[in-house]
Structure formats: C-alpha cells, structure tokens
C-alpha cells in the first residue's frame, strides 16, 4: 500500500462497511486508538432517515439531515481512514474486502482491496421490487437523499406539465395522480407529507390544479402500518380519509409502465380483478431486499444457507459460521425489525464489545508480563507485591470479560401521518400505550429533533420548519 495507507503492524485492522445508523453509532462510541480503523462507504455522510420523507416536499432541506463522516471522524482520538467506495466483494477466507470507487470522478486507481482482521458489515438493505416488471425503470424509491430530490423535482414537473397549454382533462388527471405503493411507515409518512404540501402550498400557489391533485396509497395487506396497534391503524386510516388520501388495501401491484400500474384487487363478487391505475408520480416503498455483496458473502458460508433476509448473527452479532465478521442493522438478521433504533443499538453494543476486547488484550499482556516478573523476583517481598498486582489485573480482566450478549430495548414506534398529526406506540415504565393526534405530532417533532446527529443538524431542521411555516415550501423545480 501507499505510505499514507500503511496500517500500524502492532494493531489489528478493523474494517467497517457503511456509514448508516449501525456503522456510525459504532464509530461514535469506538475507542479508535485500539485498532487500525478503516471505514468504507459510497456515501461520505450519515443520513438521518426518519426525516427523509420531509425532504421530498421541501419541508426540510436534505443537507439539514446529512452529517459528513469527516466531521465526526476527525474528533476521534486516533485517525480513522475513510474510503468513499462500494464494497463489491468480501472474501471471508482470505479476509479481504474488494472495493470500487463508483462516483463520477475516478482516479487512476478506482478498484483495490482492503485486508482486515475484523470486519463489521453495516451496508443496510436495498429496495425490494419482488422482480415486478417496470418498477426500477419507472418509479422513485425513498431511501437515499437522491431519491428525495428526484421525487421533489418530479412532483413539480407533474404539476407544471399538468398546467401546460391545451393539456387534455384526462392527461391532467393522470399527471396529478400521485401513487404510493407500500403502506408501511415509509409509504404512509410520504403520503402524509405530500398531501400537506398540496393543502398548505400547492393549492394556494397553483389553484387550477386543486380539483385534480390526488394521492393514493396502495397496500397488498388488509391494512396499512401492519406493525402498529389496531387502534393506531384505525386512527391513521380515518385521518387519511379526512385528508382525502385514498387507501387501496388488499391491492397488489403486479406490473408497472411509464403511465400506469396494474394492480390486482378483489371485485364486489369476491373474484380477483386486474385494474390499470394511471399515475403521474409513482413512489415505491415496499420494504427491504438483501444487497448483492451480502448475498455473495452468505453464499460463501455454509452456516448461512437457510438465512433469507440477511446475515444470520448470534447474540454477540457475530455472523454465524465466521469468527471475525460482525453484522449490524438492516443487513443483519437477529429477529428484530429493520429499524434505525435497532441498528443504532447494535452499533453501540459492538463499540462496547470491541473496546472491551481491546482492554482484555491489554490485561492479558499485562498478566503475561507480571508472571515473568514474578518468576524473576529476587525476594519474597517483591514476589508478594507482583502477586498482588496479578490479583488486581485478574479482577479487572474478569470484569471486562463479563459483557453480556446484545439485548434490544424498544423505545416505541412513531410515524407522521400528515395534517400535523402523528401516531406513537410507546413502551415506557408505565407499560405500553398508543396515542395519535396533534399532541403526538409535537412529541414526534421533539423526539426526532433530539435524535438528530448533531447540534448543527438540529438547528438546521428547526430553521427549515420555521422557514416552511413562514414562507411556505419552495415550489421551484430545481
Ligand atoms: P443504512 O442506514 O441504510 O446505511 C447503510 C450504509 O451502507 C450507507 O451508508 C450506504 O451508503 C452504505 N453501503 C451501501 N452499500 C454498500 C457497499 N456495497 N459497501 C459499503 N457500504 C455500502 N427507522 C426508525 O427506527 N425510525 C424511523 O423513523 C425511520 N424512518 C425511516 C424513514 C425512511 C424514509 C427510511 C427509508 C427508513 C426509515 N427507518 C426508520 C429505517 C432506518 O432508516 C433503517 O432501519 C436504518 O437506516 C438501518 O441502518 P443500517 O446502518 O443498517 O443501514
Ligand atoms: P415495510 O416493509 O414496513 O412495508 C412495505 C409494505 O409494502 C408492506 O406492508 C407490504 O405489504 C407492501 N407491499 C409489498 N409489495 C407490494 C405490492 N406489490 N403491492 C402493494 N403493496 C405491497 O417497508 P417500509 O415502510 O419501507 O419500512 C422499512 C423498515 O423501515 C421497517 O422496518 C419500518 O419499521 C422502518 N421504518 C420506520 C419508520 C418509522 O418508524 N417512522 C419510517 C420508515 C421506515
């Protein structure tokens, strides 16, 4: 390797893949001086995903919820290497990660390999399409900053195209039909944000679209938000009705073209019917799928052969069938939902585990040295003194070795549902309770604000909220 990439031979090399919830929470708490830490991710920033739906309509500007990794890595005690690249393959036997710079600007070297002693896989998941034709070509996902920017642009493009001279009534209706597929929290929050945008801004600025702008949420199951309690599902469905967002449950999208989707529902006679639903904007939010680099790693490990949704891990988040690979977040299967809450707790757990492991090694080295000292002690007095030291170090070693397995502590689920209302399933000391409404909305806002990565993010988000309230959202099409 080039001189600047040379690792310290006295330390183990810990490679961390990804800069999302899992990896960043690990990096925040890790004592980096114990390892040669190398971070690899195609994204040189952390993204606060809970507020991403707000970026699609300009309630929040995307940079307000991004935090450059360089910002917090430079405050770590020991330098951390960051390579902006995709991990394209992990060779579990050779202990090598192959990386590729897929950004626009490439240097003479854009593909190389990084050896590791310990590896943390925190690459998240990709968007599920279930192989449904046309999804990738025609719809927008909602996972990354670029997705939110694309949606924001398309909403305004649909609106401006609908108001184009001599547009036919049928075409206007199609262009202003905003279809969201997937009634999980992502789809619900986006539909709510979009309807808000229409009600508080678009309707005023471009009144001629008022009669035709329409949001529809399509969900295959009998209800939206399947992971929330029945009471909150009913509350959400009722609120959407009042907001005039149409919910089409028990309707499964089977095919997507550039102007309509084909969805299978049940007719009044109980028979399956295939319906064409024209759209102007299509947002696809049907959950997670396993990334190719993770699938490839799973295929290398016999113990992973029965795992489908990601890397099966044990209670210490070690990838089953390996000794030196850990996985966190959406790419790990540990019987928890794929949420930011789980990923960040897993990352923090691994940081503690690695800090303890380093301490264990230090204590073990100290013990080896002390035993030698004891053997070489010239008299009983010195021997007793060394013996006392050994006892003390052994006690400390026992303490650090006592670390228990990962345990997830669920703080509750929150989702924004539009018109300044939110739903919350919260488990506190007093037990579980479910709540929805305007007060919950303020709770939602303050909870997310407190969870923002940095004070800088917090200030920017507040300013964006104030700006949107005072001047309305920006409707220019960038
Ligand atoms: P991610 O945060 O997705 O990070 C993965 C990282 O890996 C990224 O940095 C990515 O660039 C990088 N990466 C990808 N491929 C590679 C590769 N080949 N090599 C190296 N790096 C790679 N959860 C909640 O608990 N509460 C919420 O309110 C909430 N709201 C959400 C809203 C939206 C719109 C979305 C999409 C999700 C939301 N979630 C929420 C879910 C939450 O964002 C995920 O569960 C969480 O991001 C998972 O963390 P992760 O670290 O596993 O993956
Ligand atoms: P999800 O998996 O929760 O929901 C996807 C929905 O799409 C499912 O209800 C599924 O039935 C439906 N679906 C699948 N295929 C379909 C088809 N062909 N036609 C119609 N409907 C179809 O996905 P998500 O909402 O993206 O959430 C992913 C993860 O992120 C979840 O764990 C979620 O809890 C988390 N998340 C949490 C929040 C929050 O807490 N506020 C917000 C966003 C995401």
């Amino acid at each position: 390797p080039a001189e600047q990439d040379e690792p310290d031979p006295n330390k183990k090399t810990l490679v961390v893949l990804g800069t999302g919830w899992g990896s960043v929470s690990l990096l925040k708490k890790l004592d980096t001086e114990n390892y040669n830490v190398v971070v690899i991710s195609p994204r040189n920033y952390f993204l606060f995903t809970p507020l991403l739906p707000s970026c699609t309509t300009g309630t929040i500007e995307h940079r307000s919820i991004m935090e450059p990794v360089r910002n917090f890595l430079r405050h770590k005690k020991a330098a951390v290497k960051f390579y902006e690249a995709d991990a394209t393959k992990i060779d579990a036997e050779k202990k090598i990660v192959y990386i590729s710079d897929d950004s626009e600007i490439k240097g003479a070297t854009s593909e190389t390999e990084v050896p590791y002693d310990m590896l943390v896989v925190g690459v998240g998941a990709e968007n599920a399409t279930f192989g449904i034709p046309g999804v990738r070509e025609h719809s927008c996902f909602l996972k990354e900053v670029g997705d939110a920017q694309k949606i924001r642009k398309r909403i305004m493009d649909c609106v401006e195209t609908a108001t184009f001279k001599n547009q036919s009534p049928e075409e206007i209706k199609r262009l202003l039909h905003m279809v969201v597929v997937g009634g999980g929290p992502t789809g619900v929050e986006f539909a709510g944000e979009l309807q808000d945008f229409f009600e508080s801004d678009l309707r005023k600025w471009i009144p001629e679209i008022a009669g035709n702008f329409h949001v529809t949420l399509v969900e295959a199951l009998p209800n939206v938000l399947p992971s929330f309690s029945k009471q909150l599902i009913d509350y959400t469905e009722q609120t959407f009705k009042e907001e005039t967002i149409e919910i089409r449950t028990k309707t499964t999208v089977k095919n997507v073209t550039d102007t309509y989707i084909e969805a299978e529902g049940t007719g009044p006679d109980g028979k399956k019917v295939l319906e064409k639903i024209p759209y102007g904007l299509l947002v696809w939010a049907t959950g997670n799928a396993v990334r190719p680099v993770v699938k490839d790693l799973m295929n290398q490990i016999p113990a992973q052969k029965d795992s489908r949704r990601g890397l099966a891990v044990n209670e210490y988040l070690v990838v089953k069938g390996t000794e030196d690979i850990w996985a966190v977040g959406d790419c790990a299967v540990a019987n928890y939902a794929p949420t930011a809450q789980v990923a960040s707790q897993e990352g923090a757990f691994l940081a503690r585990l690695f800090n303890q492991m380093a301490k264990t090694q230090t204590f073990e080295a100290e013990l080896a040295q002390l035993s030698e000292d004891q053997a070489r002690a010239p008299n009983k007095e010195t021997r007793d003194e060394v013996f006392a030291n050994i006892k003390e170090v052994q006690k400390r070693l026992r303490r650090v070795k006592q670390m228990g397995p990962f345990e997830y502590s669920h703080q509750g689920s929150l989702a924004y549902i539009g018109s300044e209302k939110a739903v919350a399933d919260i488990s506190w000391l007093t037990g579980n309770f479910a709540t929805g409404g305007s007060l919950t909305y303020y709770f939602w806002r303050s909870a997310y604000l407190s969870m923002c990565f940095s004070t800088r993010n917090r200030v920017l988000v507040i300013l964006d909220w104030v700006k949107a309230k005072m001047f309305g959202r920006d409707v220019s099409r960038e």
Side-chain angles (χ1 to χ4, degrees):
E3 198 187 326
Q4 76 271 14
D5 296 318
E6 204 74 68
D8 177 346
N10 300 315
K11 293 179 187 174
K12 284 190 171 172
T13 297
L14 168 63
V15 173
V16 180
L17 304 183
T19 46
W21 278 97
S23 302
V24 163
S25 133
L26 156 70
L27 291 166
K28 251 180 151 178
K29 296 218 159 76
L30 183 73
D31 296 336
T32 50
E33 62 274 27
N34 297 325
Y35 302 96
N36 297 308
V37 183
V38 181
V39 181
I40 297 161
S41 175
R43 212 169 74 181
N44 79 343
Y45 56 87
F46 166 74
L47 176 66
F48 186 76
T49 46
L51 288 177
L52 191 62
S54 301
C55 297
T56 58
T57 57
T59 313
I60 288 176
E61 295 296 336
H62 59 273
R63 282 194 180 265
S64 305
I65 57 165
M66 292 158 70
E67 184 71 18
V69 288
R70 307 279 187 183
N71 253 10
F72 64 89
L73 289 183
R74 77 195 156 101
H75 295 301
K76 299 303 288 187
K77 266 201 188 144
V80 172
K81 278 254 153 274
F82 174 73
Y83 300 129
E84 193 187 72
D86 273 288
T88 49
K89 185 177 172 67
I90 298 161
D91 189 325
E93 203 160 307
K94 290 191 190 142
K95 293 185 162 203
I96 286 175
V97 180
Y98 295 87
I99 67 170
S100 162
D101 174 5
D102 284 339
S103 66
E104 236 168 79
I105 297 189
K106 293 185 181 58
T109 306
S110 61
E111 282 183 9
T112 185
E113 46 189 71
V114 180
Y116 66 83
D117 298 304
M118 296 155 74
L119 176 70
V120 177
V121 187
V123 298
E126 61 176 31
N127 295 290
T129 65
F130 307 103
I132 297 168
V135 175
R136 277 199 195 283
E137 296 85 326
H138 307 299
S139 57
C140 300
F141 297 116
L142 183 49
K143 203 168 193 48
E144 299 290 344
V145 164
D147 300 331
Q149 285 173 298
K150 185 168 154 188
I151 293 173
R152 191 173 173 185
K153 197 168 167 176
R154 281 211 183 169
I155 297 169
M156 286 323 297
D157 205 353
C158 285
V159 169
E160 297 299 355
T161 310
T163 53
F164 190 71
K165 190 162 185 274
N166 295 339
Q167 206 66 273
S168 72
E170 202 175 83
E171 189 64 347
I172 292 175
K173 226 174 158 147
R174 175 184 77 80
L175 287 162
L176 295 175
H177 190 199
M178 312 276 141
V179 175
V180 185
V181 182
T186 304
V188 165
E189 290 194 322
F190 169 67
E193 291 278 354
L194 185 53
Q195 189 66 28
D196 280 2
F197 183 31
F198 170 66
E199 292 299 343
S200 42
D201 300 297
L202 289 175
R203 185 192 271 286
K204 276 187 241 152
W205 294 55
I206 315 158
E208 62 267 39
I209 65 165
N212 286 306
F213 192 93
H214 187 52
V215 181
T216 300
L217 181 65
V218 182
E219 166 58 53
L221 297 175
N223 54 265
V224 297
L225 292 183
S227 57
F228 281 68
S229 65
K230 168 91 175 66
Q231 179 199 342
L232 292 182
I233 291 170
D234 292 346
Y235 182 78
T236 306
E237 294 189 346
Q238 183 54 36
T239 306
F240 269 26
K241 212 180 209 170
E242 286 158 19
E243 289 168 357
T244 66
I245 297 173
E246 189 184 346
I247 300 184
R248 304 277 301 261
T249 48
K250 296 189 198 158
T251 308
T252 309
V253 178
K254 299 278 186 187
N255 185 34
V256 173
T257 75
D258 57 346
T259 51
Y260 63 86
I261 55 170
E262 278 182 290
E264 189 182 77
T266 314
D269 54 358
K271 284 201 182 122
K272 296 259 181 251
V273 281
L274 202 60
E275 186 190 353
K276 282 184 183 168
I277 305 174
Y279 72 84
L281 171 81
L282 178 65
V283 172
W284 193 266
T286 62
N288 292 344
V290 182
R291 287 198 191 278
V293 67
V294 172
K295 241 184 244 164
D296 178 76
L297 176 62
M298 288 163 69
N299 288 339
Q300 295 171 41
I301 307 165
Q304 296 286 331
K305 81 172 189 325
D306 295 328
S307 187
R308 292 282 163 273
R309 285 177 299 117
L311 290 160
V313 293
N314 72 11
E315 70 276 29
Y316 284 86
L317 307 180
V318 178
V319 172
K320 286 184 182 165
T322 74
E323 283 176 356
D324 37 33
I325 307 181
W326 289 258
V328 286
D330 287 3
C331 65
V333 180
N335 287 332
Y336 306 112
T339 65
Q341 225 183 120
V342 170
S344 66
Q345 289 184 29
E346 288 177 342
F349 169 84
L350 276 196
R352 256 184 296 131
L353 185 74
F354 294 160
N355 293 344
Q356 305 275 44
M357 280 163 69
K359 274 192 206 146
T360 307
Q361 276 164 9
T362 314
F363 290 150
E364 278 170 354
E366 250 178 70
L367 276 182
Q369 181 61 49
L370 284 168
S371 320
E372 273 180 38
D373 293 352
Q374 197 183 24
R376 272 196 247 113
N379 51 40
K380 181 173 180 311
E381 204 177 299
T382 326
R383 233 186 343 265
D384 286 350
E385 201 179 306
V386 177
F387 184 68
N389 283 344
I390 290 179
K391 283 270 160 226
E392 179 55 33
V393 177
Q394 277 175 338
K395 204 164 90 191
R396 279 194 236 152
L397 184 62
R398 266 198 305 276
R399 218 177 296 141
V400 296
K401 275 191 163 172
Q402 256 168 13
M403 189 163 157
F406 173 71
E407 270 174 45
Y408 170 61
S409 142
H410 186 60
Q411 306 296 309
S413 306
L414 274 169
Y416 180 61
I417 58 170
S419 63
E420 305 206 338
K421 287 179 184 154
V423 286
D425 262 329
I426 303 170
S427 34
W428 276 337
L429 288 178
T430 47
N432 288 344
F433 73 96
T435 161
S438 300
L439 260 183
T440 317
Y441 166 68
Y442 289 104
F443 174 69
W444 172 83
R445 275 201 161 182
S446 45
Y448 279 13
L449 208 52
S450 72
M451 284 175 348
C452 274
F453 187 87
S454 63
T455 310
R456 187 186 74 93
N457 284 155
R458 240 164 260 141
V459 171
L460 292 176
V461 167
I462 293 174
L463 288 178
D464 287 343
W465 278 336
V466 172
K467 219 166 61 183
K469 194 90 194 160
M470 283 178 70
F471 306 115
R473 297 168 184 84
D474 186 344
V475 297
S476 44
R477 186 174 75 83
E478 273 179 272

